[in-house]
C-alpha cells in the first residue's frame, strides 16, 4: 500500500513552513537507494522511513557482528550473523508499515550491479564510508544525473555533503584523485557512536531536502563536525576542470575487483596446504592478533615493516593480511618498492577469512 501523505503520522511535517501536502506527496512517491546498513545508516534509514519516503532499497553485503552494535543501533544482539540489509528492513517495517517498498539487497554495490539497482531511484545515498564505493557511487550517479548524498565518520569527527554533477559539483571535485584509501579506519582508531548519529542525521536531512525541494542542499559545501569541541564548520569547494581530467584515471570500483596481486580466502587456504606454502605475514597490531589470527603467520605490524623487511627472503612467496585488506595493500606496495616480486595480499583480510573459511575465528 502506498504511503498516505495525509496520514496523521506526518502532521508535524506538513505544518512546517514551505512543506505542506505537496512536499509530503513527493516523499511518498520517492525512491531512495542507500548503500550500507551500518553506523551512518542506523540514524539515516529510520528517519527516511518515518518521514514517509515511499520506497527504500538497502544494499549491504555484510552481516551483523557483535563489534558493530555500539554504533549500528538498528541491529540487536539477536541479529548477529544476519544480513545487515535484511536486519535493517525488519526494523524499518515497524517504523513505516505503509511503505510501498522496503527492499533488502544482500550484495555489493559495484559497477556490475549499479545499472539494475539505480533504475527509478531519485536519490542515491552512500552510507558505506568506503573510499572506493563512494567514488563509484559518485561516477554512476553523475552518469544518471541523480544526486548523491554521502557521509563519513571516524574517531570523534565526521563530514557530510551532496554531490550532484548536474548542479555543478560532485565528489570528484572535492577529492579529484580519490580519498586516501590508506588512511586510518574505524577498525584502527575507533569511532564515537554519537558521531555516526550526527552525520547520519545530516545525511537524512540532505536527502529529505533534495526530495522535497526545500532548503539549500550541501552542494559545493561540506559540513564537518567535531564532537570534542561541539563545533560544526563548512568547507566550500568548486569545480576544477583540470583536476577532473586527472581524476578520470582513478580506479573507482571496489579494491578487490581487479587487483592482480590479491588472493581470495579460498585461494589462500589452498596455498597454505600446498607443498611449498607462502610466508604469511600479519601486518595488524598485536592486540588485533590476540583476537584472531590465521595459523602459521608471522606478525609484523605495518609500521614496522620497512625496518624489518630485510629479515624476509625476497625470493620466497609472501601473502600479507590485515583486518579487511587496506593495510595489507599498503604493505604490498611497500614490499614491491623494496624489490620483492612474489607478493600478494588477502582480499577482505581476516574478516573475510572468518566468514568464508574459518567461522570459529573471532570477528571484530
Amino acid at each position: 500500500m502506498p504511503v498516505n501523505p495525509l496520514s496523521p503520522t506526518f502532521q508535524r511535517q506538513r505544518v512546517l513552513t514551505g512543506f505542506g501536502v505537496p512536499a509530503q506527496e513527493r516523499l511518498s512517491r520517492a525512491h531512495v537507494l542507500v548503500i550500507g546498513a551500518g553506523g551512518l545508516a542506523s540514524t539515516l534509514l529510520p528517519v527516511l522511513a518515518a518521514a514517509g519516503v515511499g520506497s527504500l532499497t538497502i544494499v549491504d553485503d555484510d552481516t551483523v557482528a557483535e563489534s558493530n552494535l555500539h554504533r549500528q543501533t538498528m541491529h540487536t544482539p539477536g541479529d548477529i550473523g544476519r544480513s545487515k540489509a535484511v536486519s535493517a528492513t525488519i526494523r524499518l517495517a515497524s517504523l513505516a508499515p505503509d511503505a510501498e517498498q522496503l527492499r533488502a539487497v544482500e550484495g555489493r554495490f559495484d559497477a556490475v550491479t549499479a545499472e539494475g539497482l539505480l533504475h527509478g531511484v531519485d536519490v542515491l545515498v552512500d552510507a558505506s564510508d568506503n573510499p572506493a564505493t563512494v567514488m563509484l557511487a559518485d561516477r554512476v550517479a553523475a552518469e544518471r544525473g541523480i544526486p548523491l548524498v554521502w557521509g563519513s565518520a571516524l574517531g570523534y569527527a565526521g563530514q557530510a555533503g551532496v554531490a550532484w554533477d548536474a548542479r555543478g559539483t560532485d565528489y570528484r571535485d572535492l577529492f579529484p584523485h580519490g580519498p586516501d584509501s590508506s588512511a586510518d579506519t574505524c577498525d584502527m582508531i575507533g569511532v564515537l557512536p554519537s558521531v555516526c548519529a550526527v552525520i547520519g542525521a545530516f545525511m537524512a536531512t540532505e536527502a529529505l531536502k533534495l526530495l522535497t525541494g526545500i532548503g539549500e542542499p550541501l552542494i559545493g559545501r561540506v559540513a564537518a563536525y567535531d564532537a570534542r569541541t561541539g563545533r560544526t564548520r563548512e568547507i566550500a569547494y568548486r569545480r576544477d576542470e583540470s583536476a577532473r581530467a586527472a581524476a578520470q584515471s582513478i580506479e573507482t570500483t571496489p579494491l578487490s575487483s581487479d587487483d592482480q596481486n590479491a588472493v581470495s580466502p579460498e585461494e589462500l587456504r589452498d596455498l597454505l596446504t600446498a607443498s611449498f606454502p607462502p610466508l604469511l605475514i600479519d601486518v595488524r597490531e598485536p592486540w588485533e592478533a590476540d583476537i584472531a589470527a590465521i595459523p602459521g603467520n608471522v606478525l609484523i605490524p605495518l609500521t614496522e615493516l620497512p625496518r624489518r623487511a630485510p629479515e624476509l627472503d625476497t625470493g620466497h612467496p609472501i601473502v600479507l593480511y590485515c583486518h579487511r585488506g587496506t593495510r595489507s595493500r599498503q604493505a604490498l606496495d611497500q614490499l614491491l618498492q623494496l624489490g620483492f616480486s612474489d607478493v600478494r595480499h588477502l582480499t577482505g583480510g581476516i574478516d573475510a577469512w572468518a566468514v568464508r573459511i574459518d567461522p570459529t575465528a573471532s570477528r571484530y
Side-chain angles (χ1 to χ4, degrees):
M1 177 186 296
V3 174
N4 178 11
L6 299 179
S7 168
T9 301
F10 311 117
Q11 181 178 352
R12 296 297 186 268
Q13 282 178 192
R14 292 196 302 268
V15 300
L16 286 168
T17 301
F19 204 94
V21 174
Q24 196 64 55
E25 288 177 336
R26 286 192 285 272
L27 290 181
S28 69
R29 296 191 299 266
H31 183 186
V32 177
L33 187 147
V34 178
I35 308 169
L40 298 173
S42 285
T43 295
L44 161 76
L45 282 169
V47 169
L48 295 183
V53 174
S55 297
L56 284 168
T57 298
I58 304 147
V59 184
D60 199 308
D61 66 345
D62 200 6
T63 56
V64 179
E66 186 175 4
S67 61
N68 299 149
L69 300 180
H70 88 289
R71 68 194 183 282
Q72 299 183 17
T73 52
M74 276 191 304
H75 313 299
T76 69
D79 295 315
I80 292 174
R82 174 180 282 165
S83 158
K84 288 183 181 178
V86 171
S87 174
T89 56
I90 292 172
R91 297 292 172 273
L92 297 180
S94 64
L95 287 173
D98 296 330
E100 187 173 5
Q101 183 179 25
L102 291 173
R103 179 188 176 199
V105 178
E106 300 175 64
R108 215 177 254 254
F109 184 91
D110 57 28
V112 175
T113 62
E115 180 67 33
L117 290 172
L118 287 175
H119 180 70
V121 168
D122 299 296
V123 172
L124 175 62
V125 179
D126 182 89
S128 69
D129 210 351
N130 177 284
T133 302
V134 70
M135 289 298 288
L136 172 65
D138 179 68
R139 176 165 61 84
V140 297
E143 289 171 354
R144 289 157 182 79
I146 61 177
L148 168 70
V149 177
W150 62 270
S152 177
L154 182 66
Y156 295 97
Q159 305 84 37
V162 174
W164 198 353
D165 184 76
R167 294 289 182 90
T169 58
D170 60 24
Y171 196 77
R172 291 167 295 174
D173 296 308
L174 184 62
F175 294 104
H177 300 288
D180 183 7
S181 61
S182 67
D184 290 336
T185 66
C186 292
D187 301 330
M188 299 168 66
I189 68 171
V191 61
L192 193 69
S194 55
V195 173
C196 294
V198 169
I199 299 303
F202 265 110
M203 296 168 70
T205 301
E206 293 306 306
L208 293 174
K209 286 158 58 179
L210 290 165
L211 293 170
T212 60
I214 291 170
E216 181 185 353
L218 281 169
I219 300 172
R221 300 177 295 135
V222 176
Y225 171 69
D226 184 341
R228 285 174 293 192
T229 64
R231 295 190 179 96
T232 302
R233 64 192 181 99
E234 181 180 291
I235 302 167
Y237 64 99
R238 59 185 175 80
R239 173 155 293 176
D240 184 335
E241 294 297 344
S242 62
R244 287 174 63 84
Q248 298 305 312
S249 63
I250 299 293
E251 179 57 58
T252 57
T253 52
L255 295 175
S256 61
S257 61
D258 63 353
D259 188 345
Q260 63 181 357
N261 294 107
V263 56
S264 71
E266 292 79 8
E267 290 171 328
L268 178 59
R269 175 196 59 200
D270 295 341
L271 287 171
L272 293 176
T273 57
S275 57
F276 187 60
L279 174 62
L280 182 63
I281 299 178
D282 182 350
V283 297
R284 298 174 300 156
E285 295 301 311
W287 68 266
E288 295 177 277
D290 288 340
I291 297 173
I294 301 175
N297 77 87
V298 175
L299 178 64
I300 304 181
L302 180 62
T303 54
E304 299 179 14
L305 187 60
R307 176 177 60 82
R308 295 182 58 183
E311 302 173 14
L312 309 176
D313 182 354
T314 57
H316 193 93
I318 292 174
V319 175
L320 305 147
Y321 80 92
C322 63
H323 187 195
R324 289 183 173 165
T326 300
R327 283 170 284 174
S328 61
R329 189 65 179 84
Q330 297 174 60
L332 183 143
D333 289 339
Q334 290 182 14
L335 291 184
L336 290 178
Q337 292 173 8
L338 291 171
F340 291 79
S341 57
D342 193 353
V343 186
R344 289 189 282 176
H345 78 114
L346 176 61
T347 299
I350 195 170
D351 196 60
W353 176 270
V355 171
R356 293 158 60 174
I357 304 298
D358 182 9
T360 66
S362 298
R363 297 180 68 196
Y364 63 97

